[in-house]
Amino acid sequence: MPLASNHTPDRDDSDEKRRFFFVHLMKTAGTSFVFQLNEQFASGEVYPSGGLDRRNDADFAAYVSIRRLTELSPERRAAIRMYTGHYPFVASELVGPDLLTLTLLRHPVDRTISVLKHFKRLSKRYRTYAIEDIYEQPFVFAHFIENHQTRMFGVTAEDKPEAFGSTMDYWSTAWMLGIGNPNYDPDKPPEIDPETAVSAARATRVDDARFEIAKRNLETVDVVGLSEQYDEFIEELRRRFGWWPRGINTEKKANLSREAWTESASLRERIAADNAFDMEFYEYAKELLSQRRPRGAATAPVQHHESDTPESPNGVSGEGALRRIHLRNEIRARHPRFTEAVVADARVAARYRSERAHFRNRADALVQVLRLMSVSDAFLAQALYRAKARLQSLGVPVLPRILHRLAMAIAQVCIGDPVVVQPGVYLAHGQVVIDGVVEIHRGAVIFPWVTIGLRAGDIRGPIIERDVHIGTGAKVIGPVTVHRDARVGANAVVVHDVPARVTVVGAPARPVDDD
């Protein structure tokens, strides 16, 4: 599915006069990135800078106050090359045109767990709370958790956001969290009651309309990264802008959550359910990256010696073979973690089998996974595919081929190497063939005798979005997208995109209400 973007690698990104805006979403490795930005830019070129924008070391409001950002003097603006801070995307538009934008996103469940640990570590108010109890706090949930990444990209100027994509000012936020004095800001009149400010604060809620705004805004971001692929984000910036010419230590990280506090599997499951927009937004970001990276790689100069240039299948060396290797590595990097994926698959399988889908802890999850493997050939074959994909991403030889053959022998499930299956997909029975550059998203249900694959001469296969049902004997062929909540009827042949929440039948497939 083509995505709109202003990502144009062939433009002159090396121009030293360019100015940047980093949309720093909380707990996405952004603070570590800002520290590394300070190695690239002079201190006065980065906003906020101590002595220029921050009144003292405790003046953290400079990182979040849109009001203070927009009131900068023309002289100060002229000196800034990199804006940073916990601002929603709209702040970059309020600052002015001609800014190159950057951002990092993180898996919503992992980000939320890190937020909870962050508040438990720093906040006097929540220090004695269990992280599950912090999650229950309405203020924390509304302002820092509920679809937070989507909200930060879906807020508009009409919402009049001030800090963290809400109307709350920073000092009242700090007071509410127990990490600061509400009257510390000299610009804030002391007669303002922080309790009144808190009660009047409004965090913008995400709905379908805001979700679409968030997606459109993300498409315009020049460099999008994932904290799980932080090194790739840094490498793209080095390649495009020439930053850190002497190299950089990406192992240096700030604000890591190393505490022994653990979260339950049920909390992780609840976070995913409560943040459905964020989960989909994160998947959309991954899709956007998958569309961009091959183009960026094709335009980047490739320097190599003749001796280390890989050969194409017909024995001819060339950039085509390099591109294939790059594509293979990029696909393998997108495979989900084995344990997370298999447990999510087990929950979905148990739910469809009308069995207990809530796992009490990790040991219980393991028992249920093993039980499902013993009673469902399709689930066992799916787990073998998960193991194959993980071993391939680790570069293990031979064994992935054995696991692939076992899945075919046990349940006639054949899932090719370029296929990425997100966690939480249900194979009702065996006799399934999936091949090509295919991505299947969470909640998809695939019945037996289904083929999801290629047209002759094109390695691009379908994208199956969330909660799609594909009926028995159906065929989905070529670079098409079956959008969220669509239904593909039994024996249908899909050769064109299927809109969201539409049922298609027939060969070629068409909506059921078509005449």
Side-chain angles (χ1 to χ4, degrees):
M1 178 176 66
L3 297 170
S5 174
N6 69 348
H7 178 68
T8 53
D10 56 342
R11 66 188 177 189
D12 183 14
D13 285 335
S14 62
D15 184 355
E16 294 184 358
K17 299 300 182 182
R18 288 194 178 276
R19 299 187 304 143
F20 302 85
F21 195 109
F22 174 51
V23 183
H24 180 181
L25 305 184
M26 186 177 179
K27 304 307 292 181
T28 60
T31 301
S32 300
F33 178 59
V34 170
F35 286 165
Q36 288 157 344
L37 286 176
N38 290 330
E39 297 183 17
Q40 168 62 31
F41 295 96
S43 60
E45 292 180 328
V46 178
Y47 177 88
S49 295
L52 293 172
D53 312 301
R54 297 174 58 194
R55 298 182 176 96
N56 51 53
D57 290 341
D59 185 13
F60 295 108
Y63 289 104
V64 299
S65 172
I66 292 180
R67 173 182 56 81
R68 192 181 294 189
L69 180 69
T70 56
E71 291 176 356
L72 291 170
S73 69
E75 294 77 17
R76 180 68 187 117
R77 286 177 183 272
I80 296 170
R81 290 198 58 210
M82 171 65 74
Y83 292 90
T84 67
H86 290 302
Y87 300 110
F89 173 83
V90 68
S92 66
E93 298 175 330
L94 295 174
V95 168
D98 302 324
L99 288 173
L100 285 167
T101 49
L102 327 169
T103 197
L104 279 164
L105 300 173
R106 186 176 180 183
H107 190 283
V109 175
D110 293 334
R111 193 201 76 86
T112 298
I113 295 297
S114 188
V115 167
L116 297 174
K117 290 182 176 182
H118 186 75
F119 286 156
K120 181 175 174 62
R121 185 190 317 121
L122 297 181
S123 170
K124 295 178 181 178
R125 189 181 301 272
Y126 300 128
R127 195 161 294 164
T128 60
Y129 284 46
I131 58 175
E132 289 84 357
D133 295 330
I134 301 175
Y135 186 77
E136 296 285 350
Q137 299 302 301
F139 180 81
V140 173
F141 184 80
H143 289 268
F144 300 98
I145 293 175
E146 186 178 24
N147 296 308
H148 181 79
Q149 296 180 97
T150 310
R151 176 161 56 88
M152 293 290 276
F153 275 89
V155 166
T156 66
E158 289 72 21
D159 298 310
K160 299 181 179 178
E162 170 54 13
F164 302 106
S166 74
T167 58
M168 175 78 76
D169 67 86
Y170 172 77
W171 296 104
S172 295
T173 304
W175 172 82
M176 186 65 186
L177 296 175
I179 58 175
N181 183 336
N183 291 322
Y184 190 85
D185 187 347
D187 288 342
K188 180 177 180 179
E191 65 270 12
I192 293 181
D193 180 5
E195 292 192 27
T196 302
V198 168
S199 64
R202 177 174 54 83
T204 307
R205 299 293 298 275
V206 177
D207 54 18
D208 288 337
R210 288 195 183 275
F211 181 67
E212 292 302 319
I213 292 172
K215 289 198 299 184
R216 289 197 300 270
N217 285 337
L218 186 65
E219 290 168 8
T220 68
V221 175
D222 292 272
V223 184
V224 177
L226 305 178
S227 60
E228 295 85 352
Q229 298 172 11
Y230 183 75
D231 286 357
E232 294 180 24
F233 176 69
I234 292 293
E235 187 57 34
E236 181 174 359
L237 294 172
R238 292 187 65 189
R239 175 178 59 81
R240 289 184 60 182
F241 307 125
W243 294 353
W244 310 293
R246 297 182 180 179
I248 188 172
N249 179 12
T250 58
E251 296 301 317
K252 294 170 60 178
K253 301 291 174 61
N255 294 333
L256 291 177
S257 300
R258 294 192 176 96
E259 297 85 1
W261 309 319
T262 59
E263 72 281 357
S264 64
S266 61
L267 176 61
R268 294 183 67 89
E269 186 174 358
R270 181 181 174 188
I271 292 169
D274 290 343
N275 292 273
F277 281 113
D278 253 17
M279 296 292 287
E280 188 169 354
F281 189 64
Y282 181 77
E283 293 299 325
Y284 189 77
K286 290 168 64 177
E287 182 182 348
L288 183 63
L289 278 173
S290 73
Q291 295 285 334
R292 288 182 175 186
R293 281 176 176 162
R295 293 198 299 270
T299 59
V302 178
Q303 297 180 353
H304 52 264
H305 299 289
E306 185 176 348
S307 59
D308 59 25
T309 300
E311 291 187 347
S312 62
N314 61 5
V316 178
S317 299
E319 292 188 3
L322 287 170
R323 285 195 294 270
R324 283 192 292 274
I325 291 172
H326 175 84
L327 177 61
R328 180 199 65 191
N329 293 338
E330 191 274 333
I331 289 171
R332 290 180 176 181
R334 288 163 51 208
H335 285 299
R337 292 176 293 183
F338 174 77
T339 301
E340 175 192 353
V342 171
V343 170
D345 294 341
R347 290 196 182 99
V348 172
R351 188 177 303 119
Y352 274 92
R353 292 167 59 90
S354 299
E355 299 170 353
R356 177 169 63 87
H358 172 70
F359 303 154
R360 292 183 290 270
N361 49 46
R362 292 181 181 179
D364 182 39
L366 175 60
V367 169
Q368 297 307 316
V369 165
L370 294 174
R371 182 187 64 79
L372 285 167
M373 286 181 180
S374 69
V375 300
S376 170
D377 291 347
F379 184 82
L380 174 56
Q382 188 174 355
L384 290 171
Y385 155 75
R386 297 289 191 196
K388 178 197 81 168
R390 180 57 179 160
L391 290 172
Q392 284 180 328
S393 68
L394 295 174
V396 176
V398 183
L399 189 54
R401 293 293 96 208
I402 296 173
L403 296 177
H404 181 71
R405 294 293 181 181
L406 283 173
M408 293 173 63
I410 290 169
Q412 294 78 56
V413 170
C414 178
I415 303 178
D417 293 348
V419 178
V420 176
V421 181
Q422 297 300 331
V425 170
Y426 179 50
L427 300 185
H429 296 285
Q431 297 84 40
V432 171
V433 176
I434 308 172
D435 201 11
V437 181
V438 172
E439 183 151 6
I440 301 176
H441 290 259
R442 185 184 303 268
V445 178
I446 301 172
F447 287 89
W449 306 110
V450 164
T451 298
I452 301 173
L454 312 172
R455 296 176 188 168
D458 193 341
I459 67 167
R460 296 173 301 161
I463 295 172
I464 310 299
E465 293 193 347
R466 288 189 59 177
D467 303 319
V468 168
H469 284 216
I470 302 179
T472 301
K475 310 293 186 287
V476 185
I477 306 299
V480 301
T481 299
V482 183
H483 289 276
R484 184 171 183 172
D485 288 311
R487 298 292 186 267
V488 177
N491 298 313
V493 179
V494 175
V495 292
H496 301 290
D497 289 357
V498 178
R501 294 175 288 278
V502 168
T503 298
V504 296
V505 297
R510 61 190 183 280
V512 293
D513 57 351
D514 275 8
D515 294 330

